[in-house]
Amino acid sequence: MSDLVIQPSRGLHGELTLPGDKSISHRSVMFAAIADGATDISGFLAGEDTMNTAKAMQAMGVVVDGLGTDRLLVRGRGLHGLSEPAGVLDLGNSGTGMRLIAGLLAGQNFFSILSGDQYLRKRPMARVVEPLRQMGAQIDGRSGGQLAPLSIRGGGGRIRAIEYASPIASAQVKSALLLAGLYADGETSVVEPSKSRDHTERLLRFFGVEVREEGNRVTVRGGQRLRAGGPLMIPSDLSSAAFFLVAASIVPGSDLLIRNVGVNPTRTGVIDVLLSMGADISLGNRREQAGEPVADIRVRYKKLRAVQVSGGVIPRAIDEIPVLSVAAACAEGTTIIRDAAELRVKESDRIASMAAELRKLGVAVTELPDGMEITGRPALTGAACESHGDHRIAMSMAVAGLAARGETVVRDTGWIDTSFPGFERLLKLAAY
Ligand code: S3P
């Protein structure tokens, strides 16, 4: 088990380019796998989660060259070209990998089993299993199909198109159903209470698929083929950049430029929240890449103030709430985070994990069923922290350590490699 030792920083400086977007990387290799033709993907996140997704495609007969690097060549086998995997598909720690692939498998003509590590096997799967069963896939699993391992016998050509009103705003649920919907007879629609990240919609369009959107309703017609076209360039992950945005905002003297970051409006909640806290963040060199907005982001230290974070911004910032709670710990006043109960079923219970770890640094935190109240302090106190087997908790506590007095040790940080290989090197490069 590896530990990360963090000394206080006197400011983060320089220019950084961070690894590729995790959400888009998962989708890129899945969609390329079922496209007609080969796709040249650059900026692919060579993290454990996304590599497991690529390996799952290989196990279904797809040739993927370059695995382990950020440049993949995926030789698509067409909409009906995947073949039955000989063994269990192991998605490791990744909820996105498991739930999206479940949708893809629902449309196949064969049998498959999905599993993952001890954390993934505890995460709720009924949210995709139930609607996919309604579409005609035969799915079983532990606890009646609520927990992985899941077995899936796809409905093949007999999958039914549905209109599904999702009780939660979840891009994983939406994407699983749209993928299954590609194999359905008719139009499949998903309606969400508020709009979740729309990378699936954008990337399906990149592959030539027609996707209709009306408010929070997304519709896809079955039987459309994906066409491999030009090179697919994946921008850097805003969720990874978020650790640096918060670090530079809370460590006096910081001035940092992060290049080529995805700034899809369904993901930029973290920037909006930091700006409302008074942060000094500006976006320049805006452009578009593979249907996704991209920019360079400059961030400079500025004293932050407490805010209320709730409602529609939550799905747009869901993965960044742990590191935003570190910003709150350094802000003046009491920050209140609500409507974020989904945090309890992520890689760890992120409300309980962050409350426990921030308290070790001397911060007053009250846990709420769907959020936290965090009272900022002029200075955090370095301490020994745990990762809770969760990459984003580990990285959030490392960021907190930069702004603390004395040394901070984050234990069991190997999990960081699921989403952000090279995090420690880049953080230390910028911070010291
Ligand atoms: C993701 C969707 C979100 C997010 C996860 C990635 C995706 O999960 O938290 O890290 O790529 O679709 P939910 O769909 O469960 O909200």
Side-chain angles (χ1 to χ4, degrees):
M1 278 207 293
S2 52
D3 292 347
L4 218 145
V5 180
I6 301 286
Q7 307 294 344
S9 167
R10 277 197 242 109
L12 288 89
H13 294 279
E15 289 187 21
L16 296 176
T17 302
L18 306 180
D21 186 280
K22 179 149 76 82
S23 292
I24 303 174
S25 294
H26 280 296
R27 288 159 173 81
S28 70
V29 67
M30 280 182 220
F31 298 2
I34 56 165
D36 295 316
T39 304
D40 175 2
I41 304 173
S42 54
F44 185 82
L45 171 64
E48 287 165 6
D49 281 8
T50 42
M51 292 214 287
N52 282 327
T53 289
K55 285 180 195 159
M57 297 304 122
Q58 288 178 324
M60 292 189 281
V62 182
V63 174
V64 180
D65 295 331
L67 196 58
T69 73
D70 67 356
R71 185 92 187 257
L72 300 187
L73 187 69
V74 181
R75 298 181 198 276
R77 295 183 59 94
L79 195 57
H80 299 285
L82 298 180
S83 50
E84 185 170 87
V88 171
L89 300 176
D90 183 354
L91 282 317
N93 191 243
S94 177
T96 305
M98 181 168 288
R99 295 189 181 119
L100 267 63
I101 290 175
L104 187 61
L105 292 172
Q108 308 303 317
N109 254 323
F110 52 70
F111 173 80
S112 48
I113 297 178
L114 296 176
S115 194
D117 70 13
Q118 52 166 324
Y119 296 96
L120 184 54
R121 281 183 272 117
K122 283 191 203 128
R123 294 180 64 188
M125 292 298 146
R127 53 184 61 196
V128 291
V129 168
E130 280 170 11
L132 291 173
R133 280 177 177 159
Q134 286 175 32
M135 295 179 83
Q138 288 173 45
I139 308 183
D140 211 340
R142 293 190 302 129
S143 300
Q146 293 183 50
L147 298 172
L150 300 175
S151 69
I152 303 184
R153 183 165 290 286
R158 293 174 305 285
I159 204 100
R160 281 188 292 278
I162 57 168
E163 158 135 3
Y164 187 69
S166 177
I168 44 172
S170 162
Q172 294 176 359
V173 172
K174 173 174 66 178
S175 304
L177 302 190
L178 294 177
L179 280 171
L182 288 175
Y183 295 88
D185 185 10
E187 291 195 337
T188 294
S189 298
V190 184
V191 187
E192 301 187 277
S194 68
K195 191 176 163 85
S196 64
R197 64 190 65 191
D198 65 356
H199 303 301
T200 293
E201 296 88 313
R202 288 172 187 262
L203 200 58
L204 282 176
R205 287 192 188 111
F206 178 81
F207 281 98
V209 172
E210 210 183 292
V211 182
R212 274 203 331 273
E213 285 178 75
E214 299 128 321
N216 297 336
R217 168 195 302 267
V218 187
T219 304
V220 73
R221 193 179 66 255
Q224 297 187 69
R225 297 191 73 91
L226 284 72
R227 284 191 308 274
L232 203 175
M233 289 186 295
I234 300 174
S236 297
D237 200 326
L238 178 56
S239 295
S240 297
F243 298 104
F244 290 87
L245 296 180
V246 170
S249 295
I250 61 176
V251 176
S254 298
D255 185 350
L256 198 59
L257 184 69
I258 313 171
R259 290 204 184 277
N260 202 42
V261 186
V263 288
N264 180 316
T266 60
R267 295 280 301 279
T268 46
V270 61
I271 297 176
D272 295 347
V273 172
L274 285 171
L275 287 174
S276 70
M277 297 176 87
D280 182 353
I281 296 176
S282 55
L283 273 58
N285 191 18
R286 284 177 180 270
R287 58 213 184 270
E288 214 171 86
Q289 237 170 259
E292 292 279 350
V294 179
D296 298 339
I297 307 181
R298 184 169 184 194
V299 52
R300 283 176 281 196
Y301 167 77
K302 185 119 173 272
K303 181 83 199 130
L304 302 179
R305 51 178 184 272
V307 283
Q308 173 123 17
V309 188
S310 60
V313 76
I314 295 290
R316 298 176 51 241
I318 191 71
D319 292 340
E320 293 70 60
I321 304 285
V323 77
L324 282 171
S325 69
V326 173
C330 299
E332 197 179 324
T334 300
T335 291
I336 303 171
I337 301 168
R338 306 283 332 224
D339 305 324
E342 271 292 305
L343 289 176
R344 296 208 182 266
V345 291
K346 295 290 178 188
E347 285 82 331
S348 71
D349 175 342
R350 288 181 170 162
I351 295 175
S353 305
M354 284 311 297
E357 299 313 311
L358 285 175
R359 283 185 195 125
K360 292 178 185 166
L361 272 59
V363 184
V365 185
T366 308
E367 256 193 63
L368 307 170
D370 63 344
M372 285 176 270
E373 282 182 13
I374 302 162
T375 303
R377 284 174 63 102
L380 307 177
T381 316
C385 304
E386 303 296 331
S387 70
H388 299 253
D390 185 331
H391 55 131
R392 298 204 198 279
I393 304 302
M395 290 187 275
S396 297
M397 296 318 296
V399 167
L402 295 177
R405 283 207 198 104
E407 183 176 278
T408 297
V409 179
V410 191
R411 295 204 190 101
D412 189 18
T413 52
W415 298 99
I416 292 172
D417 289 345
T418 61
S419 72
F420 196 161
F423 169 76
E424 180 176 3
R425 186 180 59 81
L426 286 170
L427 190 75
K428 292 188 170 170
L429 189 71
Y432 305 121

